[in-house]
């Protein structure tokens, strides 16, 4: 059957149902309602469904306003895409906006975000087919969301996301990890708040009320550490202070070779599993 004939008319518009994949640079945002499964034991079925529906409606409204696409969900896990299905030039910063806005509405939400080159398009067979994204970026977003509880933040984004988000959002580097399918360890960061403009009302501050404007030296210290300049990293860390989540992690890193520290991802998972916090 030709590609042209593999289409369906839905709501007056032609829907492409042909199997194909195209390379696109996109951002994946994973949202998890932390502790949701524990509430199953406490709520009756009707209350559980109502709570889930209210959360999902809130997420969908915010994502739609930011030109994202609600891709798929399973229970308390939601996968959002930006620039994978529809064009969205500012896909990285829109993911950051969603993190802050959803976090302001749903306090138990954790987030993982990653951006990169993906293969996007329809996959499957005639009987079972859906739009899909293929590439390490999808895996990275899910891994970072899982690590939020372990590190102690509500959001984690890749360094690629950090590089773009930092111009519009306050960011805090909180650890260095080597993500699956990458060649070397890189910093991962948490979205702390907006630097101004339309997102002021969505200002989100970390649990210990850290000032979102104080992370410049800390983030620079992380970059020096990754670059091998330990002396400058220590000097910048001293200026940043030791009360931040990222500061405490970096203090430990400075005594460990970066390759050894970056490969602690597996240890993180083991600790999380033993502590039964990967909910």
């Amino acid at each position: 059957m030709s590609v042209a004939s593999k289409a369906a008319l839905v709501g007056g518009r032609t829907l492409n149902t042909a199997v194909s994949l195209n390379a696109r640079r996109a951002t994946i945002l994973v949202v998890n309602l932390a502790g949701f499964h524990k509430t199953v034991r406490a709520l009756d079925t009707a209350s559980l469904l109502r709570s889930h529906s209210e959360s999902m409606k809130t997420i969908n409204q915010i994502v739609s306003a930011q030109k994202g696409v609600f891709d798929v969900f399973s229970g308390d896990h939601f996968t959002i895409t930006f620039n994978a299905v529809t064009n969205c030039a500012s896909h990285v910063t829109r993911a950051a906006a969603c993190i802050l806005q959803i976090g302001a509405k749903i306090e138990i939400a954790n987030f993982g975000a990653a951006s990169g080159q993906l293969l996007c398009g329809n996959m499957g067979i005639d009987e079972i087919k859906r739009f899909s994204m293929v590439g390490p970026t999808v895996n990275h977003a899910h891994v970072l969301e899982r690590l939020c509880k372990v590190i102690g933040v509500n959001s984690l984004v890749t360094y690629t996301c950090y590089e773009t988000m930092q111009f519009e959002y306050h960011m805090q580097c909180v650890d260095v990890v080597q993500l699956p399918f990458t060649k070397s360890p890189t910093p991962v960061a948490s979205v702390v708040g907006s630097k101004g403009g339309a997102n002021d009302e969505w200002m989100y501050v970390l649990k210990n009320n850290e000032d979102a404007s104080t992370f410049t030296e800390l983030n620079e210290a992380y970059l020096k550490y990754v670059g091998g300049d330990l002396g400058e990293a220590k000097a910048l860390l001293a200026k940043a202070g030791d009360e931040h989540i990222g500061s405490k992690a970096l203090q430990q890193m400075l005594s460990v070779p970066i390759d050894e520290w970056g490969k602690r991802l597996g240890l993180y998972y083991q600790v999380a599993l033993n502590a039964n916090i990967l909910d």
Side-chain angles (χ1 to χ4, degrees), residues 72-276:
V72 68
F73 79 94
S74 178
D76 63 340
H77 275 74
F78 308 89
T79 301
I80 316 298
T81 70
F82 298 86
N83 205 47
V85 182
T86 57
N87 293 332
C88 178
S90 53
H91 51 96
V92 178
T93 52
R94 287 186 180 275
C98 284
I99 289 172
L100 293 182
Q101 293 178 21
I102 295 171
K105 296 285 187 178
I106 307 175
E107 293 184 357
I108 63 171
N110 285 338
F111 308 87
S115 187
Q117 196 79 357
L118 290 166
L119 292 176
C120 305
N122 295 328
M123 297 180 70
I125 58 177
D126 287 342
E127 292 80 6
I128 307 171
K129 188 180 299 180
R130 73 180 307 274
F131 190 90
S132 302
M133 291 75 61
V134 180
T137 299
V138 180
N139 178 281
H140 294 169
H142 283 273
V143 167
L144 291 177
E145 183 281 312
R146 297 280 77 188
L147 289 178
C148 282
K149 280 190 176 182
V150 182
I151 293 177
V153 293
N154 86 317
S155 64
L156 284 173
V157 306
T158 61
Y159 183 68
T160 299
C161 287
Y162 164 83
E163 287 183 301
T164 299
M165 291 177 179
Q166 64 175 320
F167 297 106
E168 296 182 34
Y169 295 90
H170 293 292
M171 311 291 294
Q172 179 188 187
C173 289
V174 294
D175 212 324
V176 173
V177 299
Q178 183 164 353
L179 292 167
F181 312 109
T182 61
K183 295 180 179 180
S184 59
T186 57
V188 292
S190 182
V191 184
V192 180
S194 170
K195 287 187 174 180
N199 290 317
D200 270 352
E201 68 214 74
W202 301 111
M203 188 65 176
Y204 176 82
V205 179
L206 292 177
K207 294 177 182 178
N208 56 355
N209 295 317
E210 294 168 325
D211 184 350
S213 65
T214 65
F215 299 123
T216 301
E217 290 88 357
L218 177 60
N219 295 340
E220 289 178 359
Y222 268 84
L223 299 183
K224 293 296 183 182
Y225 170 72
V226 172
D229 190 344
L230 300 186
E232 188 63 22
K234 291 178 180 179
L236 288 165
L237 180 58
K239 292 180 181 179
D242 59 3
E243 70 272 22
H244 309 304
I245 292 175
S247 300
K248 295 172 183 176
L250 186 55
Q251 286 175 340
Q252 297 179 57
M253 290 181 219
L254 288 171
S255 61
V256 180
I258 185 171
D259 289 339
E260 182 180 334
W261 181 274
K263 292 177 181 177
R264 293 175 75 247
L265 187 60
L267 176 60
Y268 276 150
Y269 264 93
Q270 192 59 48
V271 170
L273 289 170
N274 290 341
N276 194 30

